[in-house]
Each structure stands twice: as C-alpha cells, then as structure tokens.
Amino acid sequence: FAGENGSAGDKKTLAGEANGMVYVCEKCKFVFERQGEVTNCPDCGSGHIRPADEAERRDYIADKQQVRK
C-alpha cells in the first residue's frame, strides 16, 4: 500500500483505520472516505465538503468496523 506521499507503508491499513481522507458534506451531512482530490459529495453532488474533524473521523471508523463484523 502506498500512502499519500507515495511511499509504501506510511499509512496503516488495519480494519480500524481509514485508508483515505474522511470528508463531510455540509449540505447533506454524508460522511465518506476518498483518496486524492475531492470536489463534490458523492451522495448529493454538493461542492460544500470539508475534512472531517477528529470526532467525525472516529465515528466513521467505528461505523466501518461495525459493518465489517
């Protein structure tokens, strides 16, 4: 796995980690994960997205773990 700066192994890929950056749509509140540039929400198409804060990121990872069980 190559991390954001292109070097292998610089990001954890465990089940409890996000593999990319976690974002929140300000319009529809959809929380999603992506690698690379993000310009629009994949759910509603809005351009009003922002990086998730630490609490939102933790909640996203916890939800992701629940889905995998």
Side-chain angles (χ1 to χ4, degrees), residues 50-61:
R50 63 171 174 77
D53 65 29
E54 190 57 37
E56 291 164 330
R57 184 176 170 82
R58 274 195 311 268
D59 289 346
Y60 173 81
I61 291 169

Side-chain angles (χ1 to χ4, degrees), residues 34-48:
R34 290 290 184 272
Q35 293 180 351
E37 184 178 353
V38 177
T39 57
N40 296 88
C41 173
D43 192 47
C44 74
S46 171
H48 297 283

Side-chain angles (χ1 to χ4, degrees), residues 7-54:
S7 63
D10 66 343
K11 291 185 83 178
K12 293 180 182 179
T13 58
L14 302 173
E17 295 287 329
N19 293 323
M21 185 78 176
V22 179
Y23 297 92
V24 177
C25 175
E26 289 290 331
K27 182 177 179 183
C28 73
K29 307 302 181 201
F30 184 64
V31 180
F32 60 99
E33 180 179 350
R34 290 290 184 272
Q35 293 180 351
E37 184 178 353
V38 177
T39 57
N40 296 88
C41 173
D43 192 47
C44 74
S46 171
H48 297 283
I49 55 174
R50 63 171 174 77
D53 65 29
E54 190 57 37

